[in-house]
Amino acid sequence: MIERFNIIRGKILGKGLLLPFYLFAFLLLAACARMGQPDGGWYDDDPPRILSSTPEDQATGVTTKKITIHFDEYIKLDDATQKVIVSPPQLEMPEIKAAGKRIVVELKDSLKANTTYTIDFSDAISDNNEGNPLGNYTFTFSTGEQIDTFEVAGNVLDASNLEPVKGILVGLYDDLSDSAFKTKPLLRVARTDGRGRFVIKGVAPGEYRVYALQDADGDYVFNQKSEMIAFSHQTYQPSSKPDIRQDTIWKDTLHIDNIIQTPYTHFYPDDIVLLAFQEIQTDRYLLKQPERTNADRFTLYFSYGNEQLPQIRGLNFDEKDAFLLETNEKKDTLTYWLRDTTLVNRDTLSMELSYLMTDSAGVLYTKVDTVDVLAKTSYEKRQKERKKVIEEWEKKQEKQKKRGEPYDSIMPPEPLEVKYNVPAQTDPDYRVTFEMPSPLAQCDTAAIHLYTKIDTLWYRTPFEFSRKESSLRTYDFVAEWQPGTEYSLEIDSAAFVDIYGVASEAYKQGIKVRSMDEYATLLFQLSGVSDTTVIVELLDQGDKPIKRVRAEDGQVEFFYLKPSTYYARAFIDRNGDGEWSTGDYLQDRQAEEVYYYPQMIECKAKFDVTLSWNLTGTSLTRQKPAAITKQKPDKERQKLRNRNTERARQMGKEYVKKVK
């Protein structure tokens, strides 16, 4: 009783609470006098304490593969298969389980001679009641006469966006050849936490290379392109030296009580940065059977594109001039539009399909399949649905006729539903596009009209209209949009007719271009890299690109920015394709370098913002602003402290209510 009283007294005074201490003493005495569970109270924020273990932690000459660790309270083990890491890595999964106040680990692999073993529990261990994590606990033993104590630490970031990569394996090789990563299991491993931080413990003196591997099959070897990896040719020799750190003791959230200098052993290197990426999946195969969701087309889905397109030979139809082919940019999705309505009405298209596929050795060969492409909805069912629509239309017209209202004697054909991406209010650099529901047979540009309003009169305005490159059904409408000007886009009926003879309706849309007073301009002056192929992306508050500009003479300008908060990312476009490109291990190619402007950018209307940006002036681990970093650090301990603080406030409020 007295001991509990003193503990809580220290918590109250240490947090600087304003309510009198005797108030809480009274509440404590009252709570202790009652039998049963009290209504609320202080949360236990102390983690479980280790009492003993068999064998002892740091023991040498160990021959047993069973480790038992005893605690002072009931504990639980969270997601042991993912969070607990045994090093050297175990090819056969160890059995790790919690039972009451102890944890039992049984290793299945044979123990290696003269080797230091570490069992890193990370934050998997917590008490059973409040969930207080033990945090960064590592059990160590050696089968030899000494314990290897060196540590290697650093961070793993996603190469494409500098996000911390949580849960990826990081390992060492003392074999410095490039082939080791694909032929041998990692020598010693650790797993990154919520900050992307890793600490590999129990490292012996020597020279090492460091790799990261999102191990999909549990063999600790890079053998699948789907596995995210990071590699570097730099080698490291672990070392240590005595050092001193400053620990701050706080009276409360605002006032420092004391600063203590604590000696410790500083292990090096501790600042390794690995940039992880996933290679392009170049293995080519047909993902699924040809899909014919709509009767007028079918689609082939491949795992990877190729310039050599499949060859089709019709078995129950003539394939000559039967299709219009639509491909995406990667050429891994191919849509075949049926030109002839007789083929559209046929439920089954039987064909011989010849296409390139990757064999087990990674070599392309020609595979021939005979496939039946079935329409999702049969012709008979489509006809019934069509008949039902006509009958409903005729009933509607008959009712209008009886009421003396205008009616049609013949059902008009359905129009071509063109999607016009034309906003009523837009920016001077907005690109207007028209998306057709099916390929066009006719496009009459003379039926498209653009007018500009000058004073009170409307004048014709020139424009360019063309099909978008590498697209079958998307068209670009390009005009010189002047700020603060009104336009009218008018399109006559039947301007567009598709391959089935379906025509578009008339269309009209007014367009108002915002004035220059509504925009900001942003200028970056770049430095820190010698490469001139820099592309800068302006990002929104969700880390998504909204504008992209290639640097010229170390400068990047963004025009027509709406007042808002922005962020910026740059990458080195080494291959000149205008896109960020990933790496390739066998070709010894890293992913293209990515940098973030480390601060938020505030843009206001009618203001020009000029910023100097040294791309390499800030460490990569500190470049990406926290506001747009999606992978947040683990904060379990902070949550617990917040709960105790909130509980103290609540207890005070409850007492005040009782007094009133």
Side-chain angles (χ1 to χ4, degrees):
M1 171 66 186
I2 300 297
E3 181 181 357
R4 186 180 177 194
F5 178 87
N6 288 332
I7 291 172
I8 294 183
R9 176 181 179 273
K11 290 179 180 288
I12 294 172
L13 296 179
K15 294 180 180 295
L17 299 177
L18 300 179
L19 289 174
F21 170 67
Y22 61 77
L23 161 62
F24 293 97
F26 171 78
L27 292 174
L28 175 61
L29 291 171
C32 292
R34 295 202 308 265
M35 298 298 291
Q37 183 69 26
D39 296 330
W42 293 103
Y43 291 98
D44 173 21
D45 62 357
D46 294 324
R49 188 164 54 91
I50 299 168
L51 298 179
S52 62
S53 64
T54 306
E56 292 184 359
D57 194 5
Q58 303 288 322
T60 57
V62 174
T63 58
T64 180
K65 295 193 288 183
K66 182 176 180 179
I67 296 96
T68 305
I69 306 170
H70 299 274
F71 296 86
D72 66 339
E73 58 181 316
Y74 290 98
I75 54 95
K76 56 185 177 182
L77 196 61
D78 178 42
D79 197 10
T81 56
Q82 291 296 317
K83 290 187 174 182
V84 181
I85 298 295
V86 179
S87 196
Q90 306 292 289
L91 296 181
E92 187 174 353
M93 185 67 68
E95 184 177 333
I96 307 171
K97 58 186 178 181
K101 296 183 179 181
R102 71 179 187 274
I103 288 178
V104 179
V105 179
E106 290 192 49
L107 304 180
K108 302 300 182 180
D109 288 2
S110 300
L111 295 179
K112 298 180 180 180
N114 300 315
T115 301
T116 295
Y117 280 77
T118 57
I119 306 174
D120 187 352
F121 289 92
S122 182
D123 61 351
I125 302 172
S126 60
D127 65 35
N128 198 52
N129 293 326
E130 303 294 346
N132 301 317
L134 180 57
N136 299 324
Y137 170 58
T138 302
F139 183 88
T140 306
F141 68 89
S142 175
T143 58
E145 298 180 355
Q146 66 179 19
I147 297 286
D148 295 323
T149 59
F150 284 137
E151 297 179 2
V152 173
N155 292 76
V156 180
L157 305 177
D158 189 320
S160 66
N161 56 19
L162 300 191
E163 281 281 323
V165 180
K166 180 180 180 179
I168 193 170
L169 285 174
V170 184
L172 303 178
Y173 282 111
D174 56 6
D175 183 343
L176 306 183
S177 65
D178 292 339
S179 61
F181 193 32
K182 295 187 70 67
T183 58
K184 297 180 179 180
L186 292 163
L187 185 64
R188 300 201 69 82
V189 294
R191 199 182 294 277
T192 55
D193 61 16
R195 300 173 299 160
R197 184 76 177 168
F198 68 88
V199 181
I200 305 174
K201 300 178 180 180
V203 181
E207 187 173 9
Y208 301 92
R209 285 174 66 172
V210 185
Y211 296 81
L213 172 66
Q214 204 169 52
D215 196 16
D217 50 9
D219 62 356
Y220 300 93
V221 174
F222 173 47
N223 54 16
Q224 298 184 34
K225 285 181 175 292
S226 60
E227 296 174 327
M228 178 178 271
I229 62 168
F231 70 96
S232 170
H233 291 301
Q234 186 173 353
T235 61
Y236 300 92
Q237 295 182 352
S239 62
S240 65
K241 71 174 184 178
D243 208 339
I244 294 176
R245 66 167 177 260
Q246 291 185 342
D247 292 334
T248 304
I249 309 299
W250 294 84
K251 282 185 179 181
D252 51 47
T253 56
L254 297 176
H255 302 91
I256 295 175
D257 182 50
N258 195 10
I259 297 178
I260 301 175
Q261 291 190 335
T262 305
Y264 74 105
T265 301
H266 196 151
F267 293 99
Y268 296 93
D270 64 350
D271 57 354
I272 298 172
V273 177
L274 295 174
L275 298 173
F277 60 87
Q278 189 173 349
E279 295 184 346
I280 294 176
Q281 307 301 302
T282 55
D283 291 344
R284 179 176 167 85
Y285 51 89
L286 195 61
L287 291 173
K288 55 184 176 180
Q289 287 296 308
E291 187 175 79
R292 192 181 173 193
T293 304
N294 298 90
D296 56 4
R297 59 192 180 273
F298 64 89
T299 304
L300 304 180
Y301 298 95
F302 289 92
S303 60
Y304 190 71
N306 194 284
E307 291 296 328
Q308 184 175 329
L309 299 174
Q311 299 294 317
I312 294 177
R313 185 171 71 87
L315 301 180
N316 65 347
F317 67 95
D318 184 1
E319 77 280 357
K320 186 178 180 181
D321 296 327
F323 312 117
L324 272 178
L325 178 59
E326 179 179 9
T327 70
N328 63 348
E329 290 186 9
K330 295 181 179 179
K331 289 186 171 56
D332 56 8
T333 302
L334 311 176
T335 299
Y336 293 82
W337 290 84
L338 306 177
R339 291 176 180 268
D340 193 341
T341 53
T342 58
L343 292 183
V344 175
N345 295 335
R346 184 172 294 182
D347 289 340
T348 303
L349 298 175
S350 298
M351 63 187 73
E352 184 182 86
L353 184 64
S354 302
Y355 59 94
L356 292 178
M357 180 174 171
T358 306
D359 62 16
S360 58
V363 179
L364 288 172
Y365 74 100
T366 300
K367 181 176 176 59
V368 180
D369 285 334
T370 299
V371 296
D372 289 331
V373 183
L374 307 178
K376 185 177 181 179
T377 305
S378 67
Y379 175 71
E380 182 180 358
K381 187 175 181 180
R382 295 198 305 273
Q383 288 298 98
K384 288 181 179 179
E385 292 175 351
R386 174 65 178 167
K387 183 179 179 181
K388 185 177 179 181
V389 171
I390 294 174
E391 289 174 351
E392 290 178 353
W393 180 85
E394 288 176 343
K395 289 179 181 179
K396 182 180 177 181
Q397 298 304 309
E398 188 64 28
K399 288 180 181 179
Q400 292 181 201
K401 180 180 179 181
K402 289 180 179 180
R403 292 196 298 263
E405 298 175 356
Y407 68 95
D408 293 323
S409 58
I410 300 176
M411 184 176 177
E414 294 183 1
L416 188 69
E417 298 290 345
V418 181
K419 182 180 179 182
Y420 297 101
N421 297 311
V422 184
Q425 191 172 33
T426 188
D427 304 317
D429 57 349
Y430 181 80
R431 199 174 187 94
V432 172
T433 59
F434 299 170
E435 296 178 31
M436 305 298 166
S438 50
L440 295 184
Q442 176 184 326
C443 176
D444 184 6
T445 56
I448 305 174
H449 316 281
L450 181 65
Y451 301 96
T452 306
K453 186 177 182 180
I454 301 177
D455 295 329
T456 58
L457 300 178
W458 291 91
Y459 297 88
R460 283 187 175 274
T461 299
F463 61 86
E464 293 181 2
F465 185 79
S466 60
R467 197 176 76 181
K468 193 171 184 178
E469 188 177 353
S470 74
S471 177
L472 180 64
R473 295 180 293 115
T474 303
Y475 291 78
D476 285 325
F477 182 89
V478 181
E480 188 176 347
W481 307 110
Q482 295 294 332
T485 304
E486 290 186 45
Y487 295 84
S488 179
L489 175 62
E490 301 176 15
I491 302 176
D492 301 336
S493 60
F496 310 114
V497 181
D498 74 359
I499 58 176
Y500 307 115
V502 182
S504 61
E505 293 182 310
Y507 173 82
K508 183 176 181 179
Q509 174 67 53
I511 305 170
K512 174 66 183 294
V513 182
R514 295 182 179 89
S515 68
M516 289 299 294
D517 288 345
E518 299 181 57
Y519 296 108
T521 300
L522 174 62
L523 169 66
F524 281 115
Q525 295 177 336
L526 306 179
S527 62
V529 295
S530 57
D531 202 308
T532 58
T533 57
V534 180
I535 292 178
V536 177
E537 295 176 320
L538 198 65
L539 312 173
D540 64 13
Q541 297 180 44
D543 198 28
K544 295 180 180 178
I546 54 177
K547 288 179 181 288
R548 175 182 291 180
V549 174
R550 185 178 293 274
E552 294 184 8
D553 299 325
Q555 289 192 346
V556 172
E557 290 181 295
F558 291 99
F559 299 101
Y560 310 123
L561 299 182
K562 298 174 185 176
S564 185
T565 297
Y566 297 98
Y567 299 87
R569 172 173 63 211
F571 66 91
I572 308 300
D573 186 26
R574 291 199 304 265
N575 59 8
D577 66 351
E579 301 288 339
W580 178 83
S581 300
T582 189
D584 188 289
Y585 185 74
L586 288 180
Q587 296 184 22
D588 193 23
R589 186 180 71 242
Q590 295 284 352
E592 292 179 340
E593 298 91 331
V594 171
Y595 306 96
Y596 272 77
Y597 185 73
Q599 298 174 16
M600 173 187 73
I601 305 165
E602 189 71 31
C603 290
K604 298 180 181 180
K606 298 191 289 187
F607 278 84
D608 294 341
V609 180
T610 301
L611 299 172
S612 297
W613 183 5
N614 184 343
L615 299 181
T616 57
T618 303
S619 168
L620 289 178
T621 57
R622 294 170 48 233
Q623 283 194 13
K624 190 167 187 177
I628 57 173
T629 300
K630 296 178 177 62
Q631 176 58 56
K632 304 296 184 183
D634 302 323
K635 294 183 178 180
E636 293 302 320
R637 293 285 294 175
Q638 185 60 44
K639 289 180 182 178
L640 197 60
R641 294 189 186 99
N642 291 344
R643 286 165 59 193
N644 271 333
T645 302
E646 184 59 33
R647 181 58 191 154
R649 292 172 181 161
Q650 189 62 32
M651 290 172 68
K653 290 179 181 178
E654 291 171 0
Y655 176 76
V656 170
K657 288 180 181 179
K658 290 180 181 180
V659 172
K660 289 183 177 180

